């Protein structure tokens, strides 16, 4: 095998890598032409079929599995070619063939297997990179959504308690129609919240209270810090809760 590798010139290696990249690029176009998919990795057609069948079960109740025969066969063929035939040619022709330059059949089989194997590695790299990207973004999105719901719930609780203070007469410890003497630290639920995450904002009048909640999601992708989630709610007699801003 070492001798066969040595027989490949620098230009030959360039041609091999270009051929592998071309295969990786052309496979989706071929699959789309024959209407059996359009993904870089042929095995993903099997995933697509499973998703399509599940959708049909929920929408119509009867999955049309026979319709997807071509997609399944293309996925199977892709797996066999990329992970059995390609590496098989590479190993068999590399180990069992004659290392002499005149043994053209063995050398062609070796190079063909090498091209297919490199193509499979390219496709797997795309798969891993794509799923890593999707996974990170999904985790960030889910964490941000969870934090947004948490802040909204806490703001709703604070707003309700603030409104109770507003309508409660001064003789009973309330504001008697005014938020002027209310401090966020005096609200019952504030002590259970993250210190510094919730505060009163500037309000144009003593009958309008602006509560601001902000915090960072728990999940971060690598060294990148998650963007802070900020919600603002206005509390006033005519409209108990009025969401002002969400970013």
């Amino acid at each position: 095998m070492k001798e066969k590798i040595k027989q490949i010139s620098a230009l030959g290696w360039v041609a091999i890598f270009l051929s592998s990249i071309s295969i990786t690029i052309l496979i989706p176009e071929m699959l789309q032409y024959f209407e059996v998919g359009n993904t870089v990795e042929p095995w993903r057609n099997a995933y697509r079929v499973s998703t399509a069948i599940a959708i049909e079960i929920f929408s119509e109740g009867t999955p049309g599995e026979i319709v997807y025969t071509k997609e399944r066969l293309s996925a199977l063929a892709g797996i066999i070619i990329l992970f059995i035939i390609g590496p098989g040619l590479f190993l068999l022709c590399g180990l069992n063939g004659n290392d002499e330059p005149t043994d053209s059949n063995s050398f062609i089989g070796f190079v063909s297997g090498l091209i297919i194997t490199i193509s499979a590695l390219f496709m797997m790299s795309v798969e891993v990179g794509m799923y890593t990207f999707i996974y990170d973004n999904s985790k960030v999105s889910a964490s941000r959504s969870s934090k947004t719901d948490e802040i909204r719930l806490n703001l709703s609780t604070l707003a309700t308690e603030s409104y109770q203070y507003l309508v409660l007469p001064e003789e009973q410890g309330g504001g008697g129609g005014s938020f002027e003497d209310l401090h966020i630290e005096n609200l019952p639920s504030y002590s259970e919240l993250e210190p510094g995450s919730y505060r009163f904002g500037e309000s144009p009048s003593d009958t309008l209270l602006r509560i601001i909640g902000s915090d960072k999601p728990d999940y971060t992708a690598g060294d990148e810090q998650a963007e802070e989630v900020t919600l603002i709610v206005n509390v006033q007699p005519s409209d108990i809760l009025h969401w002002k801003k969400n970013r």
Side-chain angles (χ1 to χ4, degrees):
M1 182 181 293
K2 291 183 179 180
E3 292 301 322
K4 285 188 171 63
I5 293 176
K6 291 179 180 178
Q7 291 177 29
I8 303 175
S9 63
L11 186 61
W13 280 110
V14 172
I16 288 173
F17 277 102
L18 289 177
S19 300
S20 301
I21 295 173
S22 299
I23 291 175
T24 305
I25 296 174
L26 289 176
I27 280 182
E29 299 297 329
M30 293 173 59
L31 293 175
Q32 190 170 14
Y33 177 79
F34 291 106
E35 298 181 351
V36 291
N38 58 356
T39 59
V40 174
E41 313 87 346
W43 56 86
R44 287 186 57 81
N45 285 328
Y47 300 155
R48 190 173 65 86
V49 167
S50 299
T51 303
I53 291 176
I55 293 174
E56 288 185 9
I57 291 176
F58 281 104
S59 60
E60 302 175 7
T62 54
E65 297 189 23
I66 298 179
V67 179
Y68 300 107
T69 301
K70 291 191 300 183
E71 284 85 348
R72 288 175 167 173
L73 289 176
S74 70
L76 178 61
I79 292 172
I80 292 175
I81 293 172
L82 292 172
F83 298 104
I84 297 178
I85 295 178
L89 283 173
F90 174 68
L91 292 175
L92 289 176
C93 296
L95 295 175
N96 297 332
N98 191 342
D99 287 335
E100 295 299 326
T102 55
D103 190 3
S104 59
N105 292 332
S106 176
F107 185 73
I108 292 173
F110 173 77
V111 173
S112 299
L114 181 59
I115 292 174
I116 295 174
T117 302
I118 293 175
S119 298
L121 292 175
F122 279 154
M123 293 178 191
M124 290 178 67
S125 300
V126 170
E127 180 91 355
V128 171
M130 182 179 66
Y131 269 98
T132 300
F133 176 79
I134 293 174
Y135 175 80
D136 285 341
N137 280 272
S138 298
K139 290 288 290 184
V140 171
S141 177
S143 179
R144 183 176 179 82
S145 177
S146 175
K147 181 60 67 175
T148 300
D149 291 340
E150 177 187 335
I151 294 174
R152 184 177 285 113
L153 177 61
N154 292 334
L155 284 176
S156 298
T157 303
L158 293 172
T160 301
E161 294 172 351
S162 300
Y163 189 78
Q164 292 172 352
Y165 172 87
L166 174 72
V167 300
L168 195 66
E170 294 183 11
E171 295 78 11
Q172 299 180 20
S178 172
F179 292 114
E180 186 176 1
D181 297 324
L182 177 63
H183 301 282
I184 195 168
E185 294 82 2
N186 301 132
L187 297 177
S189 64
Y190 179 78
S191 59
E192 302 174 2
L193 304 178
E194 188 72 23
S197 296
Y198 298 87
R199 66 187 187 278
F200 288 161
E202 295 184 6
S203 301
S205 69
D206 59 2
T207 58
L208 172 65
L209 181 67
R210 181 165 295 163
I211 310 175
I212 303 172
S214 60
D215 201 358
K216 289 186 177 181
D218 300 326
Y219 180 82
T220 57
D223 296 331
E224 183 179 354
Q225 295 296 318
E227 184 180 355
E228 190 174 67
V229 177
T230 301
L231 295 177
I232 301 175
V233 62
N234 290 338
V235 186
Q236 51 192 355
S238 60
D239 188 5
I240 297 178
L241 296 181
H242 175 65
W243 297 101
K244 184 68 176 177
K245 186 185 297 183
N246 179 0
R247 69 173 185 270

